[in-house]
Amino acid sequence: MGGWLFLASLLLTVFAAHAYKRRFRRRASASTYRRSVLASVGLTAPAWCWSYVQTGIPPRASLLTVAGAFVGGVVSTTSAIGFVEDNAPPSPGVRQKVLAYHVGLDYPAEPMLKRPFDITLALLGLVATLPLWIVIPVFIWIEEPGPILFIKNSVGKGGVTFRQVKFRSMRYDAERFTGPVASPSSDPRTLRCGRWLRRWHVDELPELVNVLTGSMSIVGPRPLRTVLVQRYLEEIPGFANRHTVKPGIACIAQIEKYHIAPADRLRKDRVYIRRMSLGMDVRMLWRAVMSTVRGARQG
């Protein structure tokens, strides 16, 4: 019976959102999706109460009604605007220009145990944070119904653009009027829950998937968006050197400051590349954890 309640509330939410769009012939607003979820819960609640009285269905089954309504809301927004926001994908021309700066560079050898270290920590991290993968999407969607994940098209090793995955922490289509810009620490476009996600870096949990696929490392130069890197490559000599190793979730610049000038970032990343070792990765990761717990980074 619980499964039927879940399915019924899911379908009711989808139907309610679709009916609104058909009735007013326009894109549904965030409040509409929220109201659709509440309406679905309200309509299926009597069915749960009847089942509870007649068949003794467990009270916890009522959570399936709420869960179904929420999943229905996610399905509705996904069908309308997608589950993932693909932010500022670079054109083929921009990708080629960035790649051209990385021809003929010296690529240092990766420390022998770095890849096994990355895979082990990524798997442990995914298992340890599994409950957050359920809670975080709920907070994001409730505050602003829309995509749950955010794709940051960034430059990886060798100047290759890859899809860096994060939980969405900003308003949907936040760069509509500004174009691609670096986000400051007090960005007004950040969601309320996004401030918490960024404070504890849990918006970066999906990057563990990037680590498992090999496009990122646990420790390394922080990846930057291709559309911004193109300008930095043109303005800062040697900026391509930071892309001779895999980008990482944690890096020297990230540990010390939230926002750092590209030239200073390059200088610090060169220090890491020059001293790169498994022991240094362990020390850097520990510093990253401590700076996050203490909230010690500068703006």
Side-chain angles (χ1 to χ4, degrees):
M1 186 63 187
W4 285 106
L5 287 173
F6 177 89
L7 183 60
S9 58
L10 187 158
L11 294 176
L12 280 171
T13 302
V14 173
F15 176 78
H18 180 70
Y20 177 89
K21 288 187 286 186
R22 287 286 301 273
R23 172 67 177 81
F24 296 97
R25 298 184 181 279
R26 65 185 183 189
R27 179 177 167 181
S29 64
S31 60
T32 298
Y33 290 115
R34 295 192 195 98
R35 286 197 296 266
S36 297
V37 170
L38 292 175
S40 176
V41 173
L43 289 172
T44 52
W48 174 82
C49 291
W50 181 86
S51 299
Y52 176 72
V53 173
Q54 296 296 322
T55 65
I57 185 173
R60 62 176 178 274
S62 62
L63 296 176
L64 292 174
T65 300
V66 178
F70 173 74
V71 172
V74 174
V75 169
S76 298
T77 53
T78 297
S79 64
I81 54 181
F83 187 79
V84 178
E85 181 180 1
D86 192 359
N87 181 256
S91 66
V94 170
R95 293 179 185 229
Q96 289 302 319
K97 288 180 180 179
V98 171
L99 281 172
Y101 279 92
H102 298 79
V103 176
L105 295 178
D106 292 328
Y107 291 85
E110 187 175 90
M112 185 174 58
L113 295 178
K114 185 175 178 66
R115 183 59 181 158
F117 175 77
D118 286 344
I119 293 175
T120 301
L121 285 189
L123 290 174
L124 290 174
L126 287 172
V127 172
T129 61
L130 187 59
L132 292 178
W133 288 74
I134 300 173
V135 174
I136 291 173
V138 172
F139 279 102
I140 294 172
W141 195 91
I142 288 176
E143 180 168 352
E144 186 189 55
I148 302 299
L149 298 177
F150 179 88
I151 294 296
K152 181 180 171 186
N153 292 277
S154 302
V155 175
K157 184 177 180 179
V160 177
T161 294
F162 73 100
R163 292 164 64 86
Q164 180 184 354
V165 191
K166 302 165 68 77
F167 281 120
R168 182 169 65 94
S169 61
M170 298 181 66
R171 300 287 178 189
Y172 174 68
D173 202 13
E175 294 182 335
R176 181 189 306 174
F177 303 110
T178 64
V181 294
S183 177
S185 57
S186 56
D187 197 326
R189 300 170 300 171
T190 306
L191 298 171
R192 288 189 295 273
C193 69
R195 297 191 187 100
W196 176 83
L197 295 178
R198 290 185 171 194
R199 163 63 181 84
W200 295 102
H201 297 289
V202 289
D203 60 318
E204 299 170 10
L205 285 179
E207 292 175 8
L208 294 173
V209 177
N210 287 121
V211 173
L212 291 177
T213 59
S215 55
M216 289 183 68
S217 180
I218 293 293
V219 179
R222 189 69 184 153
L224 303 175
R225 287 193 292 173
T226 305
V227 290
L228 299 179
V229 167
Q230 180 192 6
R231 185 172 77 244
Y232 300 154
L233 290 168
E234 295 169 352
E235 297 174 351
I236 305 171
F239 195 79
N241 290 333
R242 69 187 303 273
H243 305 133
T244 56
V245 298
K246 287 182 183 179
I249 297 177
C251 69
I252 296 177
Q254 180 199 37
I255 290 170
E256 295 180 356
K257 297 186 69 175
Y258 183 92
H259 186 68
I260 187 171
D264 291 336
R265 182 183 293 276
L266 173 61
R267 178 174 55 83
K268 293 179 182 296
D269 289 336
R270 277 175 166 166
V271 171
Y272 170 77
I273 294 172
R274 187 167 62 249
R275 301 177 181 175
M276 185 172 58
S277 67
L278 185 61
M280 185 173 187
D281 280 8
V282 173
R283 292 192 296 272
M284 293 291 297
L285 188 58
W286 176 253
R287 288 181 59 191
V289 171
M290 289 297 98
S291 65
T292 297
V293 171
R294 296 169 182 168
R297 292 193 304 161
Q298 302 175 33

